[in-house]
Amino acid sequence: MRALLISTYELGRQPFGLASPAAWLRKAGWEVDCVDLSKERLQEASLSAVSLIGVHLPMHTATRLAGPVLEKVRRLNSSVRLCAYGLYAPPNESWLRSLGVDDVLAGEFEADLVEIAHAIADGVRRPDPIGSGVESFGVNARTIPRLQFLVPDRSGLPPLSRYATLQMPDGTRKIVGSTDASRGCKHLCRHCPVVPIYKGQFRIVSPEVVAGDVAALVAAGAEHITFGDPDFFNGPTHAMRIVAALHAAYPSVSYDVTIKIEHLLRHRDLLPRLVETGCAFVTSAVESLDDRVLAFLDKGHTRADFVEAVALCRETGVALGPTFVAFHPWLTLDDYCDLVDTLAALDLVEHVAPIQLAIRLLVPEGSRLLELDDVRQWIGPFDPATLTYRWSHADPRLEDLHREITALVGVRAKAGRGAVFDEIATLAHERAGTPRPNRPRADDRAVVPYLSEPWYCCAEPNPDQVTLV
């Protein structure tokens, strides 16, 4: 029996979401082909030769890009068992089924895919797993199973050299591999796509499995490892065990992780150890500098916490890469100017990818934001074309500013971060009619390492700007 696993977009990384289930299906005796449509074309002839097709939907952009792919698959093979799996599958179940998807799977999908494969081999119809759809938050919450993960099998995927690289301060680049040391998250941030699926649960991947995957990635040329965990310090003891083993086995291999601001402060004693074990930078979803907005998002930190974390990271030598949801319904022009002015004052210009200053709040189906009375007052109807609830700023000048900054970032994609930041900050102050503080940047300022494709979480590119080759 043969299966085909498809990825449309996975943050410029070699798709972990194909490699992991491929290992499970191959262990079950299936032949598995993997196609990453961000790097290779879907061969129509391959669709007729398979009994099971799985499409990974880890993020909003990947889901929107999957629409025409699913329609094509169903048109060319009406009998194939078609599955969609990943964080954005259950919230969009109705839409996916309208495109011909048979099974919609959520977190820890590997065992479900194997169960479906067994049912196909036995010639029986397997019912959807209990709890696979999106339920009201906190009601009948599905317990995420505890799987014994396998080392991902990356056979047949494009080489790591075709994916995003780590840009170093000296101008060199490192080949990047990505893996997960855990899944899910203990926290309940209202805008996060992990929350409707995991509902405050997280699962670790055994150190042996992580070590096996890292070994395979290094053998394939990886010089840097990106850990895709939603928050690396959900389990700090486990996390530090993982990076200690990585550094002991491959001292020259660096890595990056994602850690909440509150965890950086709570586990400040671990930050020097991150530096010692080769951490190139830490991404942290700051989202906003407005305490009122941070409370709406249930982020667990304040503006003062962020400022403290910046000082702490600088003191310990951790390169902090903040990410933001820069445009949201509570924003004012003065707020936006405060954001860029504060980043300049904190000497973080080179730490922030320009796209982060153009990110707009996404409100997908299942979002905890929909629980808030304040949100229900300004949210529009669900738009099946964009798979989001639409909203607009009360101040049309902010809609104009968002369009202008998005266009500017797109046109200036190859320019240095500092130069693009200056253009954004100047534009924002012009639109607000306020003078921009004179904070010249030093010409010899060191830049921090960063990934060449700096998307993160809600920081997703417009699907219309992503081309599937």
Side-chain angles (χ1 to χ4, degrees):
M1 305 291 283
R2 180 178 290 273
L4 174 65
L5 300 178
I6 299 173
S7 171
T8 58
Y9 181 72
E10 201 163 316
L11 295 165
R13 307 168 183 168
Q14 190 187 63
F16 182 92
L18 300 191
S20 181
W24 285 65
L25 289 168
R26 285 168 180 151
K27 184 179 180 181
W30 279 58
E31 295 182 62
V32 181
D33 297 317
C34 295
V35 178
D36 180 357
L37 295 183
S38 70
K39 301 297 177 185
E40 52 193 339
R41 294 185 180 277
L42 180 62
Q43 302 299 321
E44 294 185 4
S46 67
L47 300 179
S48 61
V50 296
S51 303
L52 170 64
I53 294 178
V55 182
H56 187 218
L57 307 178
M59 55 191 298
H60 182 259
T61 295
T63 306
R64 288 187 61 188
L65 290 170
V69 177
L70 293 168
E71 291 178 324
K72 184 175 188 177
V73 166
R74 185 51 78 201
R75 184 176 68 253
L76 296 176
N77 190 338
S78 60
S79 62
V80 72
R81 190 68 173 269
L82 183 54
C83 305
Y85 62 94
L87 292 179
Y88 272 82
N92 296 292
E93 180 168 2
S94 297
W95 176 74
L96 291 168
R97 291 194 184 280
S98 75
L99 299 178
V101 171
D102 298 301
D103 301 277
V104 178
L105 311 176
E108 317 310 88
F109 42 75
E110 288 91 345
D112 285 332
L113 282 170
V114 170
E115 186 181 345
I116 291 169
H118 286 320
I120 293 171
D122 294 340
V124 298
R125 185 74 182 179
R126 168 197 174 277
D128 289 338
I130 296 174
S132 64
V134 171
E135 303 137 348
S136 299
F137 184 84
V139 179
N140 299 322
R142 181 191 183 200
T143 298
I144 299 296
R146 296 181 182 275
L147 303 182
Q148 296 297 315
F149 293 104
L150 303 177
V151 175
D153 186 343
R154 301 172 184 275
S155 304
L157 287 172
L160 296 178
S161 58
R162 295 189 61 190
Y163 291 92
T165 57
L166 182 71
Q167 312 293 111
M168 299 299 292
D170 62 4
T172 60
R173 299 183 180 188
K174 286 187 173 184
I175 294 176
V176 175
S178 63
T179 191
D180 291 348
S182 67
R183 292 184 181 175
C185 187
K186 291 181 178 179
H187 299 273
L188 304 174
C189 304
R190 291 188 185 277
H191 63 306
C192 178
V194 176
V195 173
I197 303 302
Y198 284 87
K199 297 179 170 68
Q201 305 169 80
F202 98 109
R203 299 288 182 262
I204 67 168
V205 181
S206 74
E208 296 76 20
V209 169
V210 179
D213 195 26
V214 169
L217 289 167
V218 173
E223 302 163 294
H224 175 88
I225 302 296
T226 289
F227 286 98
D229 309 42
D231 193 289
F232 201 61
F233 275 1
N234 270 316
T237 300
H238 171 67
M240 297 312 297
R241 184 179 296 123
I242 292 294
V243 296
L246 167 62
H247 186 63
Y250 310 102
S252 65
V253 174
S254 56
Y255 65 89
D256 70 90
V257 294
T258 297
I259 303 176
K260 286 172 66 68
I261 292 295
E262 64 178 291
H263 283 174
L264 290 172
L265 298 178
R266 183 181 306 159
H267 303 294
R268 63 183 67 211
D269 58 308
L270 298 179
L271 301 192
R273 186 60 181 151
L274 290 179
V275 177
E276 292 167 7
T277 54
C279 183
F281 65 92
V282 171
T283 298
S284 193
V286 178
E287 314 301 36
S288 174
L289 301 185
D290 185 328
D291 284 342
R292 179 169 173 263
V293 175
L294 291 169
F296 280 133
L297 299 181
D298 203 3
K299 279 300 300 177
H301 70 260
T302 64
R303 178 190 181 108
D305 291 334
F306 167 61
V307 174
E308 182 181 357
V310 171
L312 176 64
C313 288
R314 188 159 285 143
E315 177 185 339
T316 55
V318 172
L320 181 65
T323 65
F324 297 92
V325 179
F327 286 87
H328 49 75
W330 303 284
L331 185 72
T332 68
L333 280 172
D334 287 342
D335 291 337
Y336 192 89
C337 290
D338 175 67
L339 170 61
V340 294
D341 293 347
T342 301
L343 292 177
L346 293 175
D347 201 15
L348 289 174
V349 170
E350 297 288 348
H351 293 240
V352 179
I355 186 62
Q356 294 299 325
L357 301 176
I359 297 304
R360 186 182 180 94
L361 179 67
L362 293 174
V363 186
E365 194 69 81
S367 171
R368 281 196 67 212
L369 285 167
L370 298 171
E371 299 172 355
L372 299 176
D373 290 337
D374 188 78
V375 170
R376 288 195 291 268
Q377 291 176 6
W378 49 252
I379 203 74
F382 185 77
D383 180 6
T386 61
L387 301 178
T388 60
Y389 287 89
R390 304 302 293 271
W391 60 268
S392 297
H393 283 106
D395 184 347
R397 293 177 300 171
L398 282 163
E399 294 294 335
D400 293 338
L401 181 64
H402 178 254
R403 283 191 291 270
E404 290 178 292
I405 291 177
T406 300
L408 189 159
V409 171
V411 170
R412 302 277 281 144
K414 302 296 185 182
R417 289 182 170 189
V420 179
F421 178 91
D422 285 340
E423 293 182 52
I424 291 172
T426 299
L427 179 62
H429 277 281
E430 287 177 353
R431 296 297 176 264
T434 59
R436 181 187 172 194
N438 184 20
R439 300 186 185 276
R441 297 182 306 110
D443 292 336
D444 60 349
R445 175 176 304 168
V447 296
V448 297
Y450 64 90
L451 296 175
S452 59
E453 189 152 358
W455 309 104
Y456 172 74
C457 192
C458 295
E460 300 182 10
N462 184 332
D464 297 331
Q465 298 174 333
V466 177
T467 302
L468 299 186
V469 298

